[in-house]
């Protein structure tokens, strides 16, 4: 039967070793980190700390299994901390069908007038509020960013709004965007745009939807479909409502108490402020002072700005925020996460650089080996 060692036993009970040692010594012993503990003593100590000690007597390596009564199961803890989070939405569609106009319309309808520092900044994503609830929009030109992020396996969007011009119908890029959205498994909403234009034909677009197995709700299908005019603003409110409805159905949640992690939307070097990156927080709450690592780059968050250029200290899940304090410019679609401190972030980034260099060296060396093989 393997002995019960102070160091291990303290860890199993979640006690600081010195605390356990002092408890044991109070009972007249001379325990140290590596001392063994009598079984009876161990059972008594465990009991005192609300644990039941099970000792296996079968000669197999005995696990000092402290069946916890108060021990926190990390999974349970995670579940308990889940909170609803805003949906992250991207707008896809054929060129000139009105993606940019729609994003501009939604953004401008929500700018709080007269607010200090209320100058809208194009940071690659923005957030609007409707009925006290937030919606995050990816605001990157075309669906290039979406495709790039997806190529990296990044899942940032929850809902894709597919814009189809009512006077033009489905076009090659509409189908391509639809395919991307379906492959990414995101919820789909179709916005039939330009309903103000002469020659707009909503029914024709709905027929095309039916042909693609994404029939509109009012045509017996399941796809939420909203006729809009990005130019005149008609239907845009309904679209936002439908996005929130879709978000409710998806029951989007995240743990704001966790260490922050999320995705890079875009990055650039600002002349005055150095490298900065727009990120979307996916889990946890990003705070000024946090140490981040993202591939070969790291950051100590010096300052954060929202889409209206306001200085913010904390960014909960689904918030797009511009982060200053990076060592370089991380790629869009890359994942970042907060770590213990700046030193660890820097070390991890360096390890990644080293790893990539080794991969590169090996790749460079590989052809030589092949040519040697070929000699035989
Ligand atoms: P994008 O290429 O998908 O980003 O399309 P844009 O937003 O740049 O729009 C292309 C053109 O269509 C522009 O000239 C817009 O003014 C126009 N447009 C966009 N939405 C509407 C709309 O709802 N009605 C009308 N009449 N024109 C629109
Ligand atoms: Mg555009």
């Amino acid at each position: 039967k393997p002995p019960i060692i102070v160091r291990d036993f303290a860890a199993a009970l979640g006690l600081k070793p010195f605390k356990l040692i002092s408890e044991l010594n109070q009972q007249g012993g001379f325990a140290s980190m590596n001392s063994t503990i009598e079984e009876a003593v161990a059972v008594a100590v465990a009991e005192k700390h609300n644990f039941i000690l099970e000792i296996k007597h079968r000669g197999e390596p005995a696990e000092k299994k402290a069946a916890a009564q108060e021990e926190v199961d990390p999974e349970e803890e995670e579940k308990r901390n889940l909170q609803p989070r805003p949906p992250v939405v991207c707008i896809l569609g054929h060129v000139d069908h009105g993606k940019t106009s729609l994003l501009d319309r939604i953004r401008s309808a929500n700018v709080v007038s007269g607010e200090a520092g209320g100058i809208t900044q194009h940071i690659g994503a923005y957030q609007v509020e409707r009925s006290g609830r937030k919606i995050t929009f990816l605001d990157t030109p075309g669906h290039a960013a979406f495709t790039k992020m997806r190529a990296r396996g990044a899942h940032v969007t929850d809902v894709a709004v597919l814009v189809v011009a009512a006077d033009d119908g489905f076009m090659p890029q509409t189908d391509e965007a639809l395919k991307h959205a379906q492959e990414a498994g995101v919820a789909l909403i179709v916005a039939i745009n330009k309903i103000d234009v002469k020659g707009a034909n909503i029914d024709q677009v709905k027929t095309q939807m039916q042909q693609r197995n994404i029939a509109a709700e009012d045509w017996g299908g399941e796809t939420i479909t909203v006729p809009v005019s990005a130019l005149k603003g008609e239907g845009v409110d309904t679209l936002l409502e439908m996005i929130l409805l879709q978000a409710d159905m998806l029951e989007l949640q995240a743990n704001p108490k966790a260490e922050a992690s999320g995705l890079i939307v875009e990055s650039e070097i600002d002349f005055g402020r150095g490298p900065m990156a727009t990120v979307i927080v996916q889990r946890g709450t990003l705070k000024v002072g946090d140490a981040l690592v993202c591939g070969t780059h790291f950051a100590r968050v010096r300052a954060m700005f929202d889409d209206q250029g306001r200085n913010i200290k904390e960014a909960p899940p689904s918030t797009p925020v511009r982060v200053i304090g990076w060592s370089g410019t991380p790629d869009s679609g890359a994942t970042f996460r907060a770590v213990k401190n700046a030193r660890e972030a820097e070390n991890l980034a360096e390890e990644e650089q080293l790893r990539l260099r080794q991969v590169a060296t090996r790749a460079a060396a590989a052809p030589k080996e092949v040519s040697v093989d070929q000699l035989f």
Side-chain angles (χ1 to χ4, degrees):
K1 200 172 67 209
I4 302 170
I5 310 290
V6 166
R7 181 200 310 274
D8 303 338
F9 193 53
L13 294 178
L15 286 179
K16 291 255 170 15
F18 76 83
K19 178 103 191 330
L20 178 60
I21 290 170
S22 92
E23 271 185 39
L24 292 168
N25 290 349
Q26 271 165 23
Q27 298 177 24
F30 290 99
S32 67
M33 284 295 270
N34 299 312
S35 322
T36 54
I37 310 172
E38 289 290 325
E39 202 178 288
V41 175
V43 170
V45 172
E47 220 168 48
K48 193 175 142 216
H49 291 280
N50 283 330
F51 286 87
I52 296 162
L53 188 67
E54 288 173 17
I55 297 174
K56 295 188 177 165
H57 289 280
R58 272 204 217 130
E60 62 195 21
E63 290 166 52
K64 292 168 293 298
K65 205 178 191 180
Q69 283 177 351
E70 284 174 36
E71 200 182 329
V72 271
D73 176 354
E75 254 174 62
E76 278 297 309
E77 176 81 2
E78 174 76 15
K79 255 189 223 156
R80 229 201 334 269
N81 285 329
L82 287 178
Q83 299 274 331
R85 64 165 178 84
V88 179
V89 182
C90 67
I91 296 196
L92 308 174
H94 195 72
V95 65
D96 281 348
H97 279 199
K99 300 178 294 292
T100 303
S101 306
L102 192 56
L103 279 162
D104 288 348
R105 164 67 61 177
I106 294 167
R107 191 200 296 106
S108 66
N110 275 273
V111 168
V112 188
S113 55
E115 202 167 319
I119 298 162
T120 313
Q121 301 228 310
H122 281 263
I123 67 166
Y126 66 81
Q127 213 169 35
V128 297
E129 221 175 281
R130 187 182 157 91
S131 344
R133 297 174 63 189
K134 289 177 170 145
I135 307 174
T136 303
F137 284 91
L138 278 181
D139 182 16
T140 46
H143 64 257
F146 179 77
T147 316
K148 198 169 167 194
M149 284 189 172
R150 236 180 59 68
R152 297 187 62 121
H155 290 280
V156 68
T157 45
D158 306 299
V159 179
V161 173
L162 187 64
V163 175
V164 188
D167 59 346
D168 211 16
F170 274 71
M171 297 299 279
Q173 283 174 42
T174 320
D175 279 319
E176 199 184 304
L178 173 62
K179 193 169 139 251
H180 281 304
Q182 286 174 328
E183 281 172 5
V186 298
L188 184 74
I189 293 180
V190 172
I192 304 179
N193 190 33
K194 305 199 187 185
I195 54 169
D196 62 290
V197 168
K198 226 178 88 191
N201 189 342
I202 295 175
D203 280 355
Q204 192 206 314
V205 176
K206 288 185 178 172
T207 307
Q208 293 173 326
M209 287 171 66
Q210 205 170 37
Q211 289 162 352
R212 287 161 174 79
N213 287 320
I214 50 159
E217 270 187 322
D218 56 339
W219 279 35
E222 281 172 4
T223 311
I224 299 177
T225 309
V226 190
V228 298
S229 167
L231 193 72
K232 304 261 154 86
E234 210 182 326
V236 173
D237 262 352
T238 313
L239 177 64
L240 296 180
E241 250 168 52
M242 290 303 137
I243 290 169
L244 287 172
L245 187 75
Q246 184 66 258
D248 287 338
M249 293 193 280
L250 296 171
E251 293 184 59
L252 304 170
Q253 292 182 314
N255 174 5
K257 289 188 180 162
E259 294 285 286
S261 59
L263 284 174
I264 308 293
V265 177
E266 58 183 33
S267 61
E268 61 178 347
I269 295 187
D270 180 87
F271 187 69
R273 294 186 281 198
M276 44 196 205
T278 296
V279 310
I280 289 186
V281 180
Q282 291 186 293
R283 188 164 173 266
T285 298
L286 184 61
K287 301 183 187 80
V288 169
D290 276 358
L292 310 177
V293 61
C294 179
T296 58
H297 300 290
F298 63 93
R300 200 182 152 266
V301 182
R302 262 196 286 135
M304 296 195 292
F305 298 94
D306 70 7
D307 51 4
Q308 299 191 33
R310 290 176 299 212
N311 214 309
I312 58 169
K313 295 275 172 264
E314 295 198 351
S318 294
T319 312
V321 67
R322 178 174 266 197
V323 174
I324 293 174
W326 286 95
S327 62
T329 50
D331 286 342
S332 64
T335 308
F336 74 85
R337 67 189 167 92
V339 294
K340 214 166 52 204
N341 52 43
R343 171 173 295 223
E344 190 182 337
E346 190 167 351
N347 285 344
L348 287 167
E350 265 169 25
E351 272 171 34
E352 181 64 9
Q353 283 170 23
L354 195 69
R355 193 187 67 82
L356 289 182
R357 227 174 288 144
Q358 281 168 348
V359 170
T361 314
R362 238 175 278 137
K368 276 185 220 146
E369 281 168 45
V370 171
S371 61
V372 172
D373 277 346
Q374 283 165 345
L375 285 177
F376 298 92

